[in-house]
Each structure stands twice: as C-alpha cells, then as structure tokens.
Coordinates of all heavy atoms in Angstrom, one line a residue:
E1 N -9.0 88.7 28.1 CA -9.5 88.4 26.7 C -9.0 89.5 25.7 O -8.8 90.6 26.1 CB -11.0 88.3 26.7 CG -11.7 89.7 26.8 CD -13.2 89.6 26.5 OE1 -14.0 89.1 27.3 OE2 -13.5 90.1 25.4
G2 N -8.8 89.0 24.5 CA -8.5 89.9 23.4 C -9.3 89.5 22.2 O -9.5 88.3 22.0
V3 N -9.8 90.4 21.5 CA -10.7 90.1 20.3 C -10.0 90.9 19.1 O -9.8 92.1 19.2 CB -12.1 90.6 20.5 CG1 -13.0 90.3 19.3 CG2 -12.7 90.1 21.8
F4 N -9.8 90.1 18.0 CA -9.2 90.7 16.8 C -9.8 90.2 15.5 O -10.1 89.1 15.4 CB -7.7 90.3 16.8 CG -6.9 90.8 18.0 CD1 -6.7 90.0 19.1 CD2 -6.5 92.1 18.1 CE1 -6.0 90.4 20.2 CE2 -5.8 92.6 19.2 CZ -5.6 91.7 20.3
N5 N -10.0 91.2 14.6 CA -10.3 90.9 13.2 C -9.1 90.5 12.5 O -8.1 91.1 12.6 CB -10.9 92.1 12.5 CG -12.3 92.4 13.0 OD1 -13.0 91.5 13.5 ND2 -12.8 93.6 12.8
L6 N -9.2 89.4 11.7 CA -8.1 89.0 10.8 C -8.7 89.1 9.4 O -9.4 88.3 8.9 CB -7.6 87.6 11.0 CG -6.8 87.4 12.4 CD1 -6.3 86.0 12.5 CD2 -5.7 88.4 12.6
G7 N -8.4 90.3 8.7 CA -8.8 90.5 7.4 C -7.9 91.5 6.7 O -6.9 91.9 7.3
T8 N -8.2 91.9 5.5 CA -7.3 92.9 4.8 C -7.8 94.3 4.9 O -7.1 95.2 4.6 CB -7.2 92.5 3.3 OG1 -8.4 92.6 2.7 CG2 -6.7 91.1 3.2
G9 N -9.1 94.4 5.1 CA -9.7 95.8 5.1 C -10.1 96.2 3.7 O -10.6 97.3 3.5
V10 N -10.0 95.3 2.7 CA -10.4 95.6 1.3 C -11.5 94.6 0.9 O -11.3 93.4 1.1 CB -9.2 95.5 0.4 CG1 -9.6 95.8 -1.0 CG2 -8.1 96.4 0.8
G11 N -12.5 95.1 0.3 CA -13.6 94.2 -0.2 C -13.5 94.0 -1.7 O -13.2 94.9 -2.5
Y12 N -13.7 92.7 -2.1 CA -13.7 92.3 -3.5 C -15.0 91.6 -3.8 O -15.5 90.8 -3.0 CB -12.6 91.4 -3.9 CG -11.2 92.1 -3.8 CD1 -10.3 91.8 -2.8 CD2 -10.8 93.0 -4.8 CE1 -9.1 92.4 -2.7 CE2 -9.5 93.6 -4.7 CZ -8.7 93.3 -3.7 OH -7.5 93.9 -3.6
S13 N -15.6 91.9 -5.0 CA -16.9 91.2 -5.3 C -16.6 89.8 -5.9 O -15.4 89.4 -6.2 CB -17.6 92.0 -6.4 OG -17.0 91.8 -7.6
V14 N -17.6 89.0 -6.0 CA -17.5 87.6 -6.6 C -16.9 87.7 -8.0 O -15.9 87.0 -8.3 CB -18.8 86.9 -6.6 CG1 -18.7 85.6 -7.3 CG2 -19.4 86.7 -5.2
L15 N -17.4 88.6 -8.8 CA -16.9 88.8 -10.1 C -15.5 89.3 -10.2 O -14.7 89.0 -11.0 CB -17.8 89.6 -11.0 CG -19.2 88.9 -11.3 CD1 -20.0 89.8 -12.3 CD2 -19.0 87.5 -11.9
D16 N -15.1 90.2 -9.2 CA -13.7 90.6 -9.1 C -12.8 89.4 -8.9 O -11.7 89.4 -9.5 CB -13.5 91.6 -7.8 CG -14.1 92.9 -8.0 OD1 -14.3 93.4 -9.2 OD2 -14.4 93.6 -7.0
M17 N -13.2 88.5 -8.0 CA -12.4 87.3 -7.8 C -12.3 86.4 -9.0 O -11.2 85.9 -9.3 CB -13.0 86.5 -6.6 CG -13.0 87.3 -5.3 SD -11.4 87.7 -4.7 CE -10.8 86.1 -4.1
V18 N -13.4 86.3 -9.7 CA -13.4 85.4 -10.9 C -12.4 86.0 -11.9 O -11.6 85.3 -12.5 CB -14.8 85.3 -11.5 CG1 -14.8 84.7 -12.9 CG2 -15.7 84.5 -10.6
H19 N -12.5 87.3 -12.2 CA -11.7 87.9 -13.2 C -10.2 88.0 -12.8 O -9.3 87.8 -13.6 CB -12.3 89.3 -13.6 CG -13.7 89.2 -14.1 ND1 -14.1 88.3 -15.0 CD2 -14.7 90.1 -13.9 CE1 -15.4 88.5 -15.3 NE2 -15.8 89.5 -14.7
A20 N -10.0 88.2 -11.5 CA -8.6 88.2 -11.0 C -8.0 86.9 -11.2 O -6.8 86.7 -11.5 CB -8.6 88.7 -9.6
F21 N -8.8 85.8 -10.9 CA -8.3 84.4 -11.1 C -7.9 84.1 -12.5 O -6.9 83.6 -12.8 CB -9.3 83.4 -10.6 CG -8.9 82.0 -10.5 CD1 -8.4 81.5 -9.3 CD2 -8.9 81.2 -11.6 CE1 -8.0 80.2 -9.2 CE2 -8.5 79.8 -11.5 CZ -8.0 79.4 -10.3
E22 N -8.8 84.6 -13.4 CA -8.5 84.4 -14.9 C -7.3 85.1 -15.3 O -6.5 84.5 -16.1 CB -9.8 84.8 -15.7 CG -11.0 84.0 -15.5 CD -12.2 84.5 -16.2 OE1 -12.4 85.7 -16.3 OE2 -13.0 83.7 -16.7
R23 N -7.1 86.3 -14.9 CA -5.9 87.1 -15.2 C -4.7 86.5 -14.7 O -3.6 86.4 -15.4 CB -6.1 88.6 -14.7 CG -7.0 89.4 -15.5 CD -6.8 90.9 -15.2 NE -6.9 91.2 -13.7 CZ -8.0 91.4 -13.1 NH1 -9.2 91.4 -13.8 NH2 -8.0 91.7 -11.8
A24 N -4.7 86.1 -13.4 CA -3.5 85.6 -12.7 C -3.0 84.3 -13.3 O -1.8 84.1 -13.3 CB -3.7 85.5 -11.2
N25 N -3.9 83.5 -13.8 CA -3.6 82.1 -14.2 C -3.8 81.8 -15.6 O -3.4 80.7 -16.1 CB -4.4 81.1 -13.3 CG -4.1 81.4 -11.8 OD1 -3.0 81.4 -11.4 ND2 -5.2 81.6 -11.0
G26 N -4.4 82.7 -16.4 CA -4.6 82.5 -17.8 C -5.5 81.4 -18.1 O -5.4 80.7 -19.1
V27 N -6.5 81.1 -17.2 CA -7.5 80.1 -17.5 C -8.9 80.7 -17.4 O -9.1 81.6 -16.6 CB -7.3 78.9 -16.4 CG1 -6.0 78.2 -16.7 CG2 -7.4 79.4 -15.0
P28 N -9.9 80.1 -18.2 CA -11.2 80.7 -18.1 C -12.0 80.0 -16.9 O -11.7 78.9 -16.5 CB -11.8 80.2 -19.4 CG -11.1 79.0 -19.8 CD -9.7 79.2 -19.2
V29 N -12.9 80.8 -16.4 CA -13.8 80.3 -15.3 C -15.2 80.6 -15.7 O -15.8 81.7 -15.6 CB -13.5 81.0 -14.0 CG1 -14.5 80.5 -12.9 CG2 -12.1 80.8 -13.5
P30 N -15.9 79.6 -16.4 CA -17.3 79.8 -16.8 C -18.2 80.0 -15.6 O -18.0 79.3 -14.6 CB -17.7 78.5 -17.5 CG -16.5 77.6 -17.5 CD -15.4 78.3 -16.7
Y31 N -19.1 80.9 -15.6 CA -20.0 81.2 -14.5 C -21.4 81.5 -15.0 O -21.6 81.9 -16.2 CB -19.5 82.3 -13.6 CG -19.5 83.6 -14.2 CD1 -20.6 84.5 -14.1 CD2 -18.4 84.2 -14.9 CE1 -20.6 85.8 -14.7 CE2 -18.4 85.4 -15.4 CZ -19.5 86.2 -15.3 OH -19.5 87.5 -15.9
Q32 N -22.4 81.3 -14.1 CA -23.8 81.7 -14.4 C -24.4 82.4 -13.2 O -24.0 82.1 -12.1 CB -24.6 80.5 -14.8 CG -24.7 79.5 -13.7 CD -25.6 78.3 -14.0 OE1 -26.3 78.3 -15.1 NE2 -25.6 77.2 -13.2
I33 N -25.2 83.4 -13.5 CA -25.9 84.1 -12.4 C -27.1 83.3 -12.0 O -27.9 82.9 -12.8 CB -26.3 85.5 -12.8 CG1 -25.1 86.3 -13.4 CG2 -27.0 86.2 -11.7 CD1 -24.0 86.5 -12.4
V34 N -27.2 83.0 -10.7 CA -28.4 82.3 -10.1 C -29.0 83.2 -9.0 O -28.5 84.2 -8.7 CB -28.0 80.9 -9.6 CG1 -27.5 80.0 -10.8 CG2 -27.0 81.0 -8.5
D35 N -30.1 82.7 -8.4 CA -30.8 83.4 -7.4 C -29.9 83.7 -6.2 O -29.0 82.9 -5.9 CB -32.1 82.7 -6.9 CG -33.1 82.7 -8.0 OD1 -33.0 83.5 -9.0 OD2 -34.0 81.8 -7.9
R36 N -30.2 84.7 -5.5 CA -29.5 85.0 -4.2 C -29.7 83.8 -3.2 O -30.7 83.1 -3.3 CB -30.1 86.3 -3.6 CG -29.8 87.6 -4.2 CD -30.3 88.7 -3.3 NE -30.2 90.0 -3.9 CZ -30.4 91.1 -3.2 NH1 -30.7 91.0 -1.9 NH2 -30.3 92.3 -3.7
R37 N -28.8 83.7 -2.3 CA -28.9 82.8 -1.2 C -29.6 83.5 0.0 O -29.2 84.7 0.2 CB -27.6 82.2 -0.7 CG -27.0 81.2 -1.7 CD -25.7 80.7 -1.2 NE -24.7 81.7 -0.9 CZ -23.4 81.5 -0.7 NH1 -23.0 80.2 -0.8 NH2 -22.6 82.5 -0.5
P38 N -30.5 82.9 0.7 CA -31.1 83.6 1.8 C -30.1 83.9 2.9 O -29.2 83.1 3.1 CB -32.1 82.5 2.4 CG -32.2 81.4 1.4 CD -31.1 81.6 0.4
G39 N -30.2 85.1 3.4 CA -29.2 85.5 4.5 C -27.9 86.1 4.1 O -27.2 86.6 4.9
D40 N -27.6 86.1 2.8 CA -26.4 86.7 2.3 C -26.5 88.2 2.4 O -27.5 88.8 2.0 CB -26.1 86.3 0.9 CG -25.3 85.0 0.8 OD1 -24.9 84.5 1.9 OD2 -25.1 84.5 -0.3

C-alpha cells in the first residue's frame, strides 16, 4: 500500500478565493456572511 496527500501545501481562506476570482476575471462576486456550518 501507498498513501499520498494531493494538495498544494498552501491554505487560502474563503474570502481569499472570492477576491482572487474577482481579480483574475474582472467580475464581481456578491457574498453575505451567514452562520458557521456544524463540523467545519
């Protein structure tokens, strides 16, 4: 057996992703803050 992680080793937040998407594509992404999800 072999076990391997497939990831980048870098963490980005939800808002990092939203703002990176807006910058890369020049489109707005409206968002609202809501309650946490259980288990996150």
